[in-house]
Every structure is written in structure tokens, then in C-alpha cells.
Amino acid sequence: MPTKPMLVAALAAAFLVSALTSPAEAAPLAAPSDPARAELRGMLENVVGATGKRYNTRDDAGHVMDTVKIIQDSTGGYLAVSHHLATDGHFRVNLATSTDLLNWHWERELAGSNTGPASQPTIAQASNGGFVLAWEQERPGGGDNHLAFRYYANRADLLTGRVGRSFDAPRRLSTCAEGTPNIYKITLSPDIDHSTIDLGGHFWSNCDVDRQQRGTLRNFNAWTTSAQPTFDNALLHWGVKGNIGDRDQIGFRGYSFGLIEGQFTKGDFGSWRTFVYDYQTGNADQTTIRTDGGSTAFANPTVSALRAPNGAPALLFTLFVPSEGAAPGESGELVYYKTY
């Protein structure tokens, strides 16, 4: 039978082993969303193995389709909103349609000539068939960057540019600039005049660097928003020192994920990288995107779940490839999709 001193020594040894393998030093427990996030990241990173892709995407009128957002069209094709820099030096927001995700027919300008410079557009369809368009708006002479919203009651109104509702959001978080919207969710109760639209954006924090915000547009006439430091911190953890800007969100395998751009060095376009943000954990993964030529810089990410031209479910990604980090022939807007 062990003596009392022996029992004390054994307990002390057991305590020491426990301390050396404490939860703080052990491998972290896996989050339930980890496998889905890894699958999403794998499809995002593998441009080389995409089902379909196009570098330097343009419409058939010759406009670059920078910062494009693509969604499913109820007619069976696809709709896209993007911006291009016009000959007068101001950005314009355009609408285009496609049947194959890679070749685009220009339909019309939606904002720019009649509003002042307009850029960074996004679009989503509501449950009643209407469309909400959002973009970053400047005043005609430049400056006063803010979020602008338009509602189109149906597809025909969108294609003809007939606006049903308009709202320009006052800046709440920055005296300098707010913009780069994405649309998380549109809730009608039961119509656009009784609605809640959940949106993301950036604000120019201290007129120095872009940081994240999330806001609510109610009844298409009232705007509230707040900073999102947890979102920012997920990228600051990786050493991002410049802007934290454009983002998009998707539900995938039952979880919510975001794609977001982060600039490691302020003012250096070659330092833009794309991250996968996990809304369940509040953490982000830095990605290693592999293009055919080996481009290294990627900004303005978007992602959409839709049906590929062959009818299979697919994830559609878009990225802006700055010339500072682009391989030959790869600068501009990259559009690619992967069926699964």
C-alpha cells in the first residue's frame, strides 16, 4: 500500500502534467464551421482549377467591369453591376446581362452621369422580385463620399432604369467618406416602404484608413449604422496596417462567411489581400489565391451562390487584380466560378 508521502508525490506529479497540458497550451478545439470554411476557401483560392474564368472582364460595349457584383437573373441568366472610369475622369455604375457568366452584354448606365461620380456598386433581389442597388456616391465636384440606395420594383424597371425609391445616407462615422456597400439581407413587411435592409460598408476612420461598419436602412428612409471593431480586429491580427474595405457575405453549408479585402501597407496597391471571415467565430483566414500567371494582389472580393450555365450549383467569385500585383494579362476584374 502506498504511503501518504507517496500519494502526495503522485498527486503533485499529476498536477504538474495537467499544468503542462493545460487548455491554454493544448491544440484549440475545432469550430463546427471549420470544414465549411475550408471548403469555401479552397474554391476561392483555386482560380487555376475553376470551372470557368475570365481575366480583365469587360462588357460588349468595351467598359471594364471593375468591382462587379453578379447575381442570378430570374429569367435564367445573370445580372451584374460594376463601375468603370469614364473619359471625364468620373466613375459610372453600369448594368450588364449574361447567359454564361463570362460574356456580358451592356444594358445601361444606372448612376454616374446624372448623380455625380458613382462606384463600388452592389445589388440584391428582394422576395417580391424588386431589386435594391447600393453604391458609393460622390458629389458632382468630388468628395462627400456616402452610401446611395435605389429600388427598382421589377426586372423591367431595372433594365430601363426606372427608379421606384431613392435614399442617400448621411455619413455617421466619418467626416470624410463612407462607402463600398454590400447587402446582407432584405426583409419586406410586406413591401419596400415597410422594410429592413441589413448592409455593410466602410468608413474612413479619422480620415486616415478604411474600417468596417454595419448599418440598417428602414423603410427606405431612415439610416442607422455602427462601427464593427471585431471585424477589423480579425484582419489586424494578421498585420494589416492599411485599409480594411470592401466585403461580401454568403451562407454556405449552413454557416455564414464573408470575403473581405485588407491592405497590409497603406497606399500600396500591391499589398491588397483577400481574407475569409467566419461570422461564427469572429476570426479570419488569410488566403493564398493561385491564378494561372501567379498574380499576388487581390481586392474587392464578392461571392454569390447561383446555378452555373450547366445547371449545377456553383459559387461565383469576383476579385479586382491591381496592376501592381498582377501577372501579365491578369490585371483588372477577375470573374470565376466553381461547380460543386
Side-chain angles (χ1 to χ4, degrees):
M1 176 178 290
T3 64
K4 184 175 181 180
M6 292 172 63
L7 286 171
V8 171
L11 288 171
F15 175 80
L16 179 61
V17 171
S18 174
L20 291 174
T21 59
S22 65
E25 296 184 6
L29 295 175
S33 55
D34 282 357
R37 190 178 70 253
E39 184 182 1
L40 171 64
R41 176 178 166 181
M43 287 192 278
L44 169 69
E45 292 180 326
N46 189 14
V47 181
V48 175
T51 306
K53 58 179 175 282
R54 171 149 294 180
Y55 296 96
N56 190 22
T57 307
R58 297 170 180 260
D59 61 33
D60 59 3
H63 306 115
V64 296
M65 295 179 64
D66 292 347
T67 70
V68 67
K69 173 63 178 178
I70 298 169
I71 61 173
Q72 193 89 53
D73 188 342
S74 58
T75 64
Y78 310 95
L79 297 167
V81 291
S82 61
H83 76 227
H84 82 283
L85 189 63
T87 56
D88 63 1
H90 293 159
F91 286 107
R92 305 282 189 264
V93 168
N94 291 316
L95 173 69
T97 55
S98 175
T99 58
D100 64 4
L101 288 171
L102 303 180
N103 296 286
W104 292 91
H105 171 63
W106 181 74
E107 295 288 349
R108 67 178 301 107
E109 180 185 307
L110 291 174
S113 295
N114 58 341
T115 62
S119 62
Q120 310 281 349
T122 191
I123 192 169
Q125 189 167 23
S127 58
N128 66 350
F131 294 87
V132 174
L133 173 71
W135 70 85
E136 183 172 336
Q137 177 64 52
E138 298 178 57
R139 66 171 179 260
D144 188 31
N145 294 50
H146 62 273
L147 294 167
F149 307 96
R150 301 294 184 267
Y151 174 72
Y152 302 86
N154 50 55
R155 185 181 184 274
D157 283 1
L158 177 66
L159 265 64
T160 58
R162 181 183 178 187
V163 175
R165 300 288 185 277
S166 298
F167 182 77
D168 281 53
R171 290 199 303 267
R172 303 293 193 196
L173 303 175
S174 173
T175 59
C176 295
E178 298 181 14
T180 63
N182 74 292
I183 300 172
Y184 287 105
K185 187 177 182 181
I186 303 170
T187 302
L188 304 181
S189 305
D191 53 29
I192 197 64
D193 293 322
H194 306 83
S195 61
T196 303
I197 305 174
D198 182 11
L199 300 120
H202 82 254
F203 68 99
W204 200 10
S205 179
N206 297 318
C207 301
D208 180 40
V209 289
D210 291 338
R211 292 295 183 258
Q212 294 301 291
Q213 66 170 310
R214 190 158 179 169
T216 303
L217 177 60
R218 297 188 187 279
N219 306 331
F220 231 83
N221 62 17
W223 172 248
T224 57
T225 190
S226 62
Q228 300 291 294
T230 299
F231 207 160
D232 294 326
N233 289 340
L235 272 65
L236 295 174
H237 165 81
W238 290 97
V240 171
K241 303 295 185 183
N243 292 323
I244 300 174
D246 204 1
R247 85 233 51 78
D248 205 7
Q249 181 271 345
I250 191 169
F252 182 64
R253 305 296 193 197
Y255 299 98
S256 180
F257 301 106
L259 305 185
I260 183 168
E261 62 178 6
Q263 187 184 40
F264 276 91
T265 303
K266 181 182 174 181
D268 179 6
F269 280 79
S271 71
W272 282 110
R273 299 294 184 270
T274 291
F275 298 78
V276 177
Y277 181 77
D278 190 325
Y279 285 91
Q280 288 68 222
T281 66
N283 297 321
D285 293 340
Q286 184 179 347
T287 63
T288 303
I289 295 170
R290 302 179 299 278
T291 67
D292 295 82
S295 295
T296 57
F298 305 95
N300 300 104
T302 78
V303 57
S304 298
L306 41 68
R307 291 282 173 180
N310 66 0
L315 292 186
L316 181 284
F317 303 98
T318 73
L319 297 165
F320 181 74
V321 185
S323 58
E324 291 85 347
E330 292 188 354
S331 65
E333 193 69 14
L334 169 59
V335 175
Y336 61 107
Y337 67 94
K338 180 68 175 180
T339 58
Y340 64 98

